[in-house]
Amino acid sequence: MLCETLARVPPQEVETALSSTGIEPVSEIVEEVLKLSYGSPAAAVMFFRWAGLNRKHSAYAWNLMVDLLGKNKLFEQMWDAIRSMKQEGVLQVATFVSVFGSYCSAGRFNEAIMTFDVMEKYGVTPNVVAVNSLLSAICREDNQTLVAHEFFERIKTKIAPDVDSFAILLEGWEKEGNVAKAKNTFGEMVIRVGWSPQNMSAYDAFLTTLVCGSQVDEAIKFLQVMKGKNCLPGLKFFSNALDILIKQNDSAHAVLLWDIMVGSGLVPNLIMYNAIIGLLCNNNDTDNALRYLDEMVLYGAFPDSLAYNMIFHCLVNNKKVREAGKFFFEMIKNEWPPTHSNCAAAITMFFDGYDPEMAIEIWDYMVKNRVLPLEESANVLLIGLSNMGRLKELRRFAEYMLDRRINIDESTMTKLKHVFYKEGRNARDSYDSLSRKWRSS
C-alpha cells in the first residue's frame, strides 16, 4: 500500500498521503519499501523523511538509503545521508562499501578512492574488508585493474592485504589477460600469505591467465610446484583450461595438463573425456585418444556413441585400415555403432585400402541393424565394387538396392555402365537390365 501511495501521489502531497494510511512505519516496513523504491529515488527520500519523524531509522535502513541514492547517482544527497548517519552513530564499513560500488559503476574511481581515504574522518576505521571491497568494485569494471593495483600498492603498507586482496587482483588480471602483472601479483602473494589450499580462487585465476596467454608451459611448471605444496586446483580449473586449449587447438599441452589432473586423483567426467578425445582426433592423435577411451571406465566415465564415433572417424580419415576394422568390431560389440556418415566414409576407405570384405561387412551390418539412411553408403559400396571389377557382387548389391527402393545416384549408374560395358555383351545385358529397373523405380 505504501509503495502504491508513493507511485501515484504528487511529491508535495506525499507526507499527507502517507500519514492518512494509518500505517506505522516500523523498521521492517521502512526497509521493505526502500528495497522496492530504487526506481523512484525522489519518492523514496520523502518516504524516508516521513518515516523518520517519529522514530529513529535502523542502521540497515540508512544503508539502504545511501545505496539507493548512490545507485541513482545522487551523490550530494548520498553524502548528506552519510553525514546524518555519523550524527546518529550508525555509520558502518558496509555504508562505505556501498559508496565504493556506486562510484565505480558510474566510472568515478577517484571519488571511490577518496571515499576510502575519508572513512576515518567519519569515525569508521578502514580495514582489510574495506580494502577488498574497493578493489572488487574497481575490478568489476572493464580494464580498471591497474587503478585497483595502484590503490593496493599505496594502501598495503598501512593495512596488510589478505589472500582475498590478491585473488581480486588476480581475477582482474585474468579478465584483462595481463600475464606479466599476474605473475608479479602471484609472486607477492606467495611471499606475503604463503601456500594454502584455501587460496584456490587465486590459484585458479593465475593459472587461467597463463593458459589463456599461451604460456601453458609456465602453467605446468606452477602446477608441479603447487602439487608439491598440496595446493593443486580443482576440477573446475582443469575443465576451463581444457576448454581454452581446445579453442587454441593445442592437444600437446592438453595431454600434459590432463595427465597432471588424473595423476593427482581428480576424476574427469564424460563431457571432459569427450572434449579431449575430440581435440586429439582433430589433431590425428589416435594413440592418446584410444588410451583415454580405455582409461575412461576405470574412472566411472563410460564411453558413449560420441567418443567411439570421433575415434572411428579419425581412424578412417587417416586411412588406418587395420585399426579401423578392429575398432569397428569393438564398437558393435559394445553396442555403439558408427553413424551412417562414418559408415559411408569407412566403406570408401576400406575399398581404397584394398579390403573390400571389410567394406561389405559394414554394409551388411548397416542393412541388418537399420543404420539409416542407407543411400550414401549404398552408392560408395557400388562405386568401390565397380573400381575393383567385382561385377557379380556389383550386380547382386545393385539389384538388392533397387528392389528395396534405395536410391542409386545417376552418377553411380554412369560409373556402373562404363564398367559393365567394358566387359562384353553379357555384362552389357546385365547393366541394361539394371538400368531399366533403376528408371522404373
Side-chain angles (χ1 to χ4, degrees):
M1 186 176 176
L2 290 173
C3 290
E4 290 174 12
T5 303
L6 291 174
R8 63 180 170 77
V9 174
Q12 63 272 19
E13 298 174 20
V14 165
E15 287 190 15
T16 304
L18 288 170
S19 298
S20 68
T21 62
I23 296 173
E24 188 178 352
V26 295
S27 294
E28 293 79 5
I29 291 175
V30 172
E31 290 160 10
E32 285 304 310
V33 171
L34 290 175
K35 287 177 190 176
L36 297 168
S37 300
Y38 273 66
S40 309
V45 169
M46 290 182 180
F47 165 75
F48 190 76
R49 286 174 181 159
W50 168 78
L53 291 174
N54 297 313
R55 63 174 60 231
K56 283 191 172 187
H57 288 302
S58 67
Y60 183 44
W62 275 109
N63 281 335
L64 282 170
M65 195 70 237
V66 168
D67 192 58
L68 184 152
L69 292 167
K71 293 293 187 293
N72 284 281
K73 301 180 183 179
L74 299 170
F75 295 117
E76 284 188 24
Q77 288 175 264
M78 179 188 77
W79 279 106
D80 288 340
I82 290 170
R83 283 186 279 272
S84 296
M85 288 180 77
K86 183 186 177 186
Q87 290 173 358
E88 294 282 328
V90 291
L91 267 177
Q92 305 165 326
V93 170
T95 313
F96 290 93
V97 168
S98 165
V99 176
F100 301 155
S102 295
Y103 272 134
C104 289
S105 63
R108 297 169 69 162
F109 304 103
N110 288 339
E111 283 98 327
I113 294 167
M114 278 193 287
T115 300
F116 180 91
D117 291 337
V118 300
M119 285 177 69
E120 278 192 291
K121 291 181 182 176
Y122 284 82
V124 178
T125 303
N127 56 17
V128 73
V129 172
V131 170
N132 292 345
S133 299
L134 178 52
L135 290 174
S136 182
I138 297 170
C139 289
R140 271 198 300 271
E141 307 305 316
D142 290 340
N143 301 312
Q144 298 300 325
T145 309
L146 192 59
V147 173
H149 187 255
E150 287 170 356
F151 166 72
F152 172 82
E153 286 292 299
R154 174 168 68 82
I155 205 67
K156 70 184 181 184
T157 55
K158 299 172 186 173
I159 300 172
D162 62 11
V163 68
D164 289 337
S165 316
F166 291 103
I168 292 162
L169 288 173
L170 285 167
E171 286 164 7
W173 299 133
E174 177 197 348
K175 191 165 73 167
E176 295 175 22
N178 195 326
V179 176
K181 290 288 188 184
K183 285 182 178 179
N184 289 339
T185 300
F186 184 80
E188 184 176 350
M189 180 185 80
V190 171
I191 292 168
R192 280 182 173 266
V193 301
W195 294 93
S196 169
Q198 294 179 335
N199 304 346
M200 206 56 72
S201 62
Y203 302 153
D204 279 7
F206 173 59
L207 291 167
T208 302
T209 307
L210 293 178
V211 174
C212 285
S214 298
Q215 294 201 16
V216 192
D217 288 329
E218 286 283 293
I220 288 168
K221 286 178 188 173
F222 278 108
L223 279 168
Q224 300 290 10
V225 173
M226 290 176 183
K227 188 176 178 182
K229 303 283 184 182
N230 196 30
C231 290
L232 207 66
L235 204 59
K236 180 185 172 186
F237 161 73
F238 286 101
S239 180
N240 291 339
L242 182 60
D243 288 341
I244 294 162
L245 293 172
I246 287 169
K247 287 173 187 169
Q248 296 173 353
N249 198 35
D250 186 350
S251 61
H253 283 120
V255 168
L256 290 172
L257 274 177
W258 185 278
D259 290 346
I260 291 171
M261 172 181 67
V262 173
S264 302
L266 294 170
V267 181
N269 55 33
L270 177 61
I271 292 170
M272 292 177 71
Y273 267 108
N274 281 345
I276 195 163
I277 286 171
L279 175 63
L280 294 166
C281 288
N282 285 340
N283 286 274
N284 301 318
D285 185 357
T286 51
D287 289 342
N288 273 314
L290 287 164
R291 173 165 73 94
Y292 290 145
L293 185 77
D294 292 338
E295 175 189 285
M296 289 173 74
V297 182
L298 301 175
Y299 295 98
F302 295 94
D304 60 3
S305 177
L306 178 60
Y308 276 111
N309 271 284
M310 285 189 296
I311 294 174
F312 187 59
H313 177 78
C314 186
L315 291 169
V316 168
N317 237 24
N318 286 280
K319 304 189 187 308
K320 295 194 173 186
V321 178
R322 187 178 60 81
E323 293 92 332
K326 183 181 173 186
F327 194 73
F328 169 77
F329 288 117
E330 182 181 339
M331 291 178 79
I332 61 175
K333 184 183 84 172
N334 291 319
E335 299 182 346
W336 294 116
T339 61
H340 72 89
S341 56
N342 272 350
C343 285
I347 289 169
T348 300
M349 187 271 294
F350 283 120
F351 275 119
D352 291 343
Y354 304 103
D355 190 353
E357 279 68 34
M358 194 63 220
I360 293 168
E361 179 87 34
I362 289 178
W363 168 257
D364 288 342
Y365 178 85
M366 290 184 75
V367 171
K368 183 179 177 182
N369 293 277
R370 295 182 58 78
V371 182
L372 304 174
L374 292 168
E375 279 72 17
E376 186 182 3
S377 294
N379 281 273
V380 296
L381 178 74
L382 295 178
I383 289 169
L385 289 169
S386 66
N387 286 338
M388 301 192 85
R390 296 174 67 150
L391 300 193
K392 188 176 178 183
E393 290 164 298
L394 181 57
R395 180 176 179 178
R396 176 166 61 86
F397 282 113
E399 285 181 343
Y400 174 89
M401 292 166 191
L402 291 169
D403 287 342
R404 280 153 184 77
R405 305 272 182 196
I406 298 169
N407 183 56
I408 300 175
D409 297 338
E410 187 173 348
S411 59
T412 303
M413 290 301 294
T414 302
K415 174 78 174 173
L416 267 57
K417 180 178 181 180
H418 176 72
V419 172
F420 275 103
Y421 269 52
K422 265 197 329 185
E423 298 299 320
R425 175 177 288 277
N426 288 339
R428 284 200 299 271
D429 290 344
S430 294
Y431 173 78
D432 291 341
S433 174
L434 286 172
S435 183
R436 283 191 296 272
K437 190 180 282 191
W438 176 69
R439 285 193 176 87
S440 65
S441 64

